[in-house]
Amino acid sequence: MTDTDGSRFSNCLYRVEQVQQGEQKAAEACSMNMTQLMSAAGKAVFHQLQSYFPAPARIAVCCGEGNNGGDGYIVARLAQKAGYQVQVFALKPNVELPEPMESDAHKARAAWREQGGSEKPLLDCSPEQFDVLVDALFGVGLNRALEGDPVSWVQRVNGSTTPVVSVDVPSGLNADTGHVPGAAVRAHLTVCLVALKRGLLTGKAQEHTGELKLEDLGIGSTFKQQNEANWFRVNAGRVGGWLAPRSRCTHKGEQGHVLIVGGQPGMSGAVILAMQSALRAGAGKVSAACHPQVQAIVAAAQPEAMVHGIKETDSLEPLLREASAVALGPGLGQGSWSQEIFSQVMETDVLKVIDADGLNLLASNPVRSPKLLLTPHPGEAARLLQMTTDEIASDRFAAATKLREKYGAQVLLKGAGSLLVTDRGRCLIDRGSPAMASGGMGDLLTGLIAGLLAQRMAPAQALIAGSLWHAIAGEEAGKDGERGTLASDLLPHIRQLVNGYGRDDG
């Protein structure tokens, strides 16, 4: 991956196993042992907490039995020394510690007790009695649903208004996949330690991590050198140069021709949005091939586009020959007309962005081709892979990779923390807004990607840049209010983004 990872460690995403196996080697290379690393972790979390909640705030620190709990005991000890009012609640309170101490977590717990700190049972914690709660119950090693007392504790924590700071990962969340198999803490702040775990940024995880802060504990640079990341966050600044400045002598013929294929009766709006998006993306010419019954509606919506009513597939062939890129699926439907149109398009060698009913028809008629750019949401991905939506949600990374393997395509798995598996590697886009939860957003994205393809952007680049700019446009449109934002509200922002305005480093 060369174009989207950038040089920042915060853009590198790792599997939990990589961090667990690699942190000791990185620490040793930095002249630190694991006891010192745990101490650094506790200090980092405490300093983050301190920046939000000054002393003498009331702090509840909830500790488990592993290293995550050890971090919590260090936080408690530092906070007490700094003048905070601290109470520790333990999963197994007041247990006898072994002699000699078997782990760094035991040592941290003993140091808390030596300082006069006490431990109360986890379920004695009433979050509303505190100004902030530190969640140090379970760390990244948890890969199953919580059971017993922790479930009741999570329900109590999530039902309160007390802010929660989670250590490394909110308890109950799978940090490798982003899956939430049962009860999980909804943190206001998650302090991720050593390196970013990929699961914190996708799927339901975004409802649980809150604000995400990375603390590399002084070993991040070394860890990056020793461990190869295979997923990356897309940096907005990196994709900005992928559309070259236009020549003063250019003309529409040099800026590509997008053909939007879809629009059965009753679904003309999808074609219109894709058509408008392709135009605002900068395509020189945009045509739409739709059902004859909606031709007049589509043509009236955008005078700059050329609109053709397609009754027989023979009349589609010359349009396909002229196209630089095809957007297949917006409002296409799945009836006999739709199936004939789909088959005709799939026989051509032109680059094709496939969405909506185009994906549903592809699921029934699988084709493997590098000329495809697939943009499914989880439900469509489930149909393409003959899986359930729950199975997709349980490991979005695996699902995106399987789509790439099965169809040989550039793949975008949409949703919070969108995942892309392309010729340029595997990356994640953690941008966007709840304002985008309205109809037509996918049609807009399809047209945008096709518009970038038409301007000779490489397929992987078009998918990555289009997805990112679509997400940022959604954020900008959502600033006027998350409720009531329409897909068409994104169009002015798309125009700005493809022209280099309003970009940031994300």
Side-chain angles (χ1 to χ4, degrees):
M1 190 83 174
T2 58
D3 289 304
T4 55
D5 58 348
S7 59
R8 297 191 305 182
F9 185 49
S10 60
N11 289 331
C12 299
L13 306 179
Y14 295 90
R15 292 178 290 107
V16 166
E17 183 181 25
Q18 286 179 287
V19 180
Q20 290 175 322
Q21 294 182 355
E23 62 182 3
Q24 182 171 351
K25 181 181 177 182
E28 290 172 350
C30 296
S31 301
M32 296 174 65
N33 58 38
M34 294 306 288
T35 300
Q36 292 169 323
L37 191 67
M38 178 175 285
S39 178
K43 289 177 182 177
V45 174
F46 172 65
H47 290 151
Q48 286 288 348
L49 182 150
Q50 200 173 29
S51 67
Y52 288 86
F53 306 96
R58 299 166 299 169
I59 302 177
V61 183
C62 300
C63 297
E65 293 296 293
N67 287 340
N68 199 248
D71 296 338
Y73 284 107
I74 293 172
V75 172
R77 183 164 50 84
L78 293 172
Q80 188 177 73
K81 282 185 177 181
Y84 288 83
Q85 304 172 65
V86 184
Q87 178 59 59
V88 165
F89 296 91
L91 184 60
K92 296 180 180 179
N94 304 312
V95 295
E96 184 175 347
L97 299 179
E99 284 291 347
M101 299 294 176
E102 295 177 352
S103 69
D104 293 321
H106 287 152
K107 295 173 185 176
R109 191 170 190 173
W112 164 248
R113 292 178 180 178
E114 290 168 6
Q115 191 172 289
S118 63
E119 303 168 17
K120 293 184 177 181
L122 185 66
L123 292 187
D124 283 0
C125 178
S126 297
E128 60 276 2
Q129 295 179 0
F130 297 89
D131 299 308
V132 59
L133 184 145
V134 176
D135 161 31
L137 204 64
F138 294 103
V140 296
L142 186 74
N143 56 14
R144 56 175 174 77
L146 296 180
E147 299 175 345
D149 288 351
V151 174
S152 300
W153 172 79
V154 167
Q155 292 170 344
R156 188 178 301 173
V157 170
N158 289 348
S160 76
T161 58
T162 301
V164 178
V165 177
S166 285
V167 178
D168 211 16
V169 57
S171 292
L173 171 67
N174 186 316
D176 222 17
T177 65
H179 184 46
V180 182
V185 169
R186 293 180 183 267
H188 296 72
L189 170 67
T190 298
V191 185
C192 187
L193 304 172
V194 179
L196 277 181
K197 290 79 180 177
R198 63 183 193 177
L200 298 180
L201 294 162
T202 193
K204 291 293 185 181
Q206 292 201 359
E207 295 182 350
H208 293 266
T209 54
E211 184 178 0
L212 184 61
K213 295 281 190 179
L214 171 63
E215 291 282 356
D216 71 5
L217 310 184
I219 67 171
S221 178
T222 301
F223 184 90
K224 182 182 178 184
Q225 292 173 4
Q226 295 177 345
N227 298 273
E228 182 180 0
N230 54 16
W231 286 87
F232 300 88
R233 296 166 83 183
V234 178
N235 184 311
R238 297 291 293 180
V239 306
W242 287 357
L243 272 181
R246 289 188 171 184
S247 164
R248 298 287 292 176
C249 300
T250 194
H251 55 81
K252 64 182 180 182
E254 293 181 338
Q255 301 305 323
H257 188 169
V258 173
L259 176 63
I260 313 291
V261 181
Q264 71 165 354
M267 301 179 72
S268 56
V271 171
I272 292 169
L273 286 168
M275 185 172 69
Q276 292 173 332
S277 184
L279 286 164
R280 289 303 186 187
K285 295 185 285 185
V286 176
S287 297
C290 57
H291 195 282
Q293 292 183 25
V294 301
Q295 180 182 3
I297 299 171
V298 176
Q302 195 68 49
E304 293 86 352
M306 297 165 284
V307 182
H308 308 267
I310 304 298
K311 186 175 182 180
E312 304 292 339
T313 56
D314 289 348
S315 55
L316 183 59
E317 186 174 346
L319 301 177
L320 290 168
R321 286 200 302 267
E322 294 178 6
S324 309
V326 172
L328 174 63
L332 180 62
Q334 298 183 61
S336 57
W337 176 83
S338 310
Q339 293 175 26
E340 291 174 8
I341 294 293
F342 173 84
S343 298
Q344 179 76 3
V345 174
M346 294 301 290
E347 289 175 1
T348 67
D349 196 43
V350 67
L351 287 166
K352 295 172 278 289
V353 186
I354 305 184
D355 189 38
D357 280 323
L359 294 170
N360 293 326
L361 291 170
L362 180 64
S364 302
N365 306 274
V367 173
R368 180 179 171 83
S369 170
K371 296 286 186 177
L372 303 181
L373 291 82
L374 309 183
T375 62
H377 57 56
E380 292 161 342
R383 289 187 282 277
L384 287 166
L385 293 173
Q386 297 181 319
M387 299 170 65
T388 66
T389 304
D390 286 344
E391 288 172 329
I392 299 295
S394 69
D395 192 341
R396 286 168 51 81
F397 296 94
T401 302
K402 288 177 183 177
L403 286 167
R404 168 79 170 166
E405 292 169 351
K406 180 174 181 178
Y407 292 94
Q410 316 292 330
V411 171
L412 162 66
L413 178 56
K414 295 187 290 194
S418 293
L419 303 180
L420 299 100
V421 185
T422 73
D423 290 342
R424 290 182 176 266
R426 294 180 278 191
C427 56
L428 180 150
I429 294 174
D430 59 331
R431 303 293 298 267
S433 167
M436 301 172 76
S438 64
M441 292 291 176
D443 304 312
L444 210 68
L445 175 60
T446 301
L448 170 56
I449 295 168
L452 298 177
L453 284 174
Q455 295 171 81
R456 299 185 180 87
M457 190 179 276
Q461 288 180 315
L463 193 67
I464 294 167
S467 301
L468 178 64
W469 289 338
H470 180 255
I472 296 174
E475 292 174 355
E476 293 300 312
K479 288 179 179 178
D480 291 330
E482 290 181 351
R483 288 183 172 85
T485 298
L486 305 180
S488 55
D489 294 334
L490 276 63
L491 289 168
H493 303 291
I494 287 173
R495 184 184 180 190
Q496 287 187 328
L497 288 160
V498 298
N499 281 289
Y501 308 125
R503 294 185 183 136
D504 57 53
D505 286 334

